[in-house]
Amino acid sequence: MEEDREWLTKCHTRSLYAGESLVDYEDLTKDVFLVQSGEMRAVLRFSVGKEAILGTFRRGDLMGELSAIDDLSRSASLMAVTDAVVTVIPYVVFHDILRTCPGVTRALMQLLSLRIRAMNERVSELSFLDTKHRLYNALLRLSRSRGDGGGERIISPPLVHAELAEHIGSSRETVSREMSRLIREQLIERTSRAIVLKNPVELSRRISKALEG
Amino acid sequence: MEEDREWLTKCHTRSLYAGESLVDYEDLTKDVFLVQSGEMRAVLRFSVGKEAILGTFRRGDLMGELSAIDDLSRSASLMAVTDAVVTVIPYVVFHDILRTCPGVTRALMQLLSLRIRAMNERVSELSFLDTKHRLYNALLRLSRSRGDGGGERIISPPLVHAELAEHIGSSRETVSREMSRLIREQLIERTSRAIVLKNPVELSRRISKALEG
């Protein structure tokens, strides 16, 4: 559509180095971002080593929409995990698009709805599971199907233990101990490029059991 | 507006007794609800005594909108804490309203955005605070200003210790012990009708200190 082209001319791209921050917690900026390449992360940092990872974003994912919607300051920092490129959609353009495209508004509401569901699950996980089962749950949540019909799932690029610890609110030492145990049990395998979940069904079964207990 | 009246004729009210459930987890219903009176709660229950309270709703609050937005099954149960009356807005009517009232759509997106912000805070709270500080945080989060300019906050009707435990993912015994300590320190006061936070600023200070530590 002609409108599409007009909007595009009002957006620009921004490149980030791994580790660079795009938005800081409580910033007053309101632009919205679309990931073109690389991996970005929404993070709440309290002090050195105390970070909660709230979300991970890859090609095609929208980020930073909350401040554009409710006009409040940034709820978290957005930082590049790898080198990344994002499209910056200025606040005014974002609202122009919403005003003229009911389909986009609907898709955005669905996205927000899914984010709330994911957060609900995370709150439950953190409320009721001990560290070991929170780790199993995070491994399942962060992995994707290998897509070869074998039922294995992978996390690639692999997360280091300190990052997994931030996902589940635990320490690196505890995560390392549990990961070693999972490797011994042949439930996971670690390569230089991925963490492979060899038997995701067994991990799910253990979580269900812990929740019922 | 004329449209308003027409929509109203397509909604109906439903009365619930304290303890009655309006919606069950994974139900396929998609109606949306507006609380008229009483108190409702969104709850995830895993087994007897293992419940996460995801939200509390009072007069004027909208509930149950996720399934209407994303067409997925119910993300939690909705139950009446006290006797309650709700307006049932059928799925089709809800979407009629969204289609014809851009203002409502905007308000709904803002509501979803605020819910995500609240969940983010809760995830951080659960990830990084020990039980004692999670309790302080929950007391602040669940209370409202007394509105007499004195800086005190109240939770009324008061929650019992088992309910507070569900809010923070802990046990009733632990909550009881910490509440007794707070009463001894004169930071809170318990009456038959309310929990009074005598010095909310001190509770906030302790939480900040724990997060920085």
Side-chain angles (χ1 to χ4, degrees), chain B residues 130-200:
Chain B
D130 59 14
T131 311
K132 184 169 73 178
H133 292 95
R134 273 146 73 163
L135 177 64
Y136 299 172
N137 210 31
L139 289 171
L140 290 171
R141 177 160 51 79
L142 298 168
S143 62
R144 55 179 191 271
S145 168
R146 239 184 165 165
D148 58 1
E152 292 184 358
R153 297 178 66 82
I154 58 165
I155 300 176
S156 173
L159 294 173
V160 300
H161 293 172
E163 290 173 308
L164 279 169
E166 281 163 15
H167 273 281
I168 62 170
S170 178
S171 70
R172 191 187 54 73
E173 293 72 16
T174 308
V175 167
S176 296
R177 193 176 57 235
E178 291 300 333
M179 289 293 278
S180 301
R181 194 194 308 250
L182 287 173
I183 290 170
R184 275 200 310 278
E185 295 185 279
Q186 303 191 315
L187 286 170
I188 65 169
E189 210 173 83
R190 222 193 142 92
T191 69
S192 60
R193 308 202 39 186
I195 298 172
V196 183
L197 313 192
K198 308 292 289 177
N199 191 347

Side-chain angles (χ1 to χ4, degrees), chain B residues 10-29:
Chain B
K10 292 177 183 159
C11 297
H12 62 276
T13 58
R14 176 153 167 207
S15 301
L16 296 122
Y17 294 107
E20 199 178 342
S21 126
L22 175 61
V23 149
D24 287 320
Y25 175 66
E26 292 199 329
D27 268 5
L28 296 175
T29 57

Side-chain angles (χ1 to χ4, degrees), chain B residues 11-12 22-23 29-35 61-69 74 78 86-95 98 108 111:
Chain B
C11 297
H12 62 276
L22 175 61
V23 149
T29 57
K30 292 179 191 168
D31 298 337
V32 179
F33 311 97
L34 194 64
V35 183
D61 289 339
L62 198 74
M63 316 178 292
E65 73 287 346
L66 296 189
S67 292
I69 291 170
R74 296 292 186 182
L78 286 173
V86 304
T87 301
V88 181
I89 309 172
Y91 178 81
V92 176
V93 176
F94 181 69
H95 281 279
L98 289 188
L108 180 61
L111 177 73

Side-chain angles (χ1 to χ4, degrees), chain B residues 61-110:
Chain B
D61 289 339
L62 198 74
M63 316 178 292
E65 73 287 346
L66 296 189
S67 292
I69 291 170
D70 61 22
D71 285 324
L72 298 176
S73 66
R74 296 292 186 182
S75 61
S77 302
L78 286 173
M79 20 176 314
V81 183
T82 62
D83 288 358
V85 178
V86 304
T87 301
V88 181
I89 309 172
Y91 178 81
V92 176
V93 176
F94 181 69
H95 281 279
D96 269 354
I97 297 175
L98 289 188
R99 203 165 30 245
T100 43
C101 307
V104 173
T105 302
R106 212 155 40 233
L108 180 61
M109 282 204 290
Q110 286 167 357

Side-chain angles (χ1 to χ4, degrees), chain A residues 44 46-47 50-52 54 66-67 69-70 72-75 98 105 108-110 112-117 119-120 122-124 126-128 134 169 210-213, chain B residues 44 46-47 50-52 54 66-67 69-70 72-75 98 105 108-110 112-117 119-120 122-124 126-128 134 169 210-213:
Chain A
L44 267 178
F46 300 107
S47 59
K50 277 198 179 169
E51 272 186 9
L54 297 174
L66 296 189
S67 292
I69 290 170
D70 61 21
L72 298 177
S73 65
R74 296 292 187 181
S75 62
L98 289 188
T105 302
L108 180 62
M109 283 204 290
Q110 285 167 357
L112 296 174
S113 184
L114 292 176
R115 293 215 170 138
I116 292 174
R117 285 176 187 265
M119 296 303 275
N120 281 349
R122 191 127 174 233
V123 164
S124 313
L126 288 167
S127 298
F128 292 117
R134 273 146 73 165
L211 281 174
E212 282 159 15
Chain B
L44 267 177
F46 301 105
S47 59
K50 277 198 180 171
E51 271 186 10
L54 297 175
L66 296 189
S67 292
I69 291 170
D70 61 22
L72 298 176
S73 66
R74 296 292 186 182
S75 61
L98 289 188
T105 302
L108 180 61
M109 282 204 290
Q110 286 167 357
L112 296 174
S113 185
L114 292 177
R115 292 214 170 137
I116 292 174
R117 285 176 187 265
M119 296 302 275
N120 280 350
R122 193 129 171 232
V123 165
S124 313
L126 288 168
S127 298
F128 291 117
R134 273 146 73 163
L211 281 174
E212 283 159 15

Side-chain angles (χ1 to χ4, degrees), chain B residues 1-10 93 96-97 99-102:
Chain B
M1 287 197 308
E2 189 145 337
E3 275 168 341
D4 276 17
R5 272 200 301 278
E6 204 193 308
W7 285 326
L8 271 179
T9 62
K10 292 177 183 159
V93 176
D96 269 354
I97 297 175
R99 203 165 30 245
T100 43
C101 307

Side-chain angles (χ1 to χ4, degrees), chain A residues 72-115:
Chain A
L72 298 177
S73 65
R74 296 292 187 181
S75 62
S77 303
L78 286 174
M79 17 178 316
V81 183
T82 62
D83 289 358
V85 177
V86 303
T87 301
V88 182
I89 309 171
Y91 178 82
V92 175
V93 176
F94 180 70
H95 280 279
D96 268 355
I97 297 174
L98 289 188
R99 201 165 31 246
T100 43
C101 307
V104 173
T105 302
R106 210 156 41 234
L108 180 62
M109 283 204 290
Q110 285 167 357
L111 177 73
L112 296 174
S113 184
L114 292 176
R115 293 215 170 138

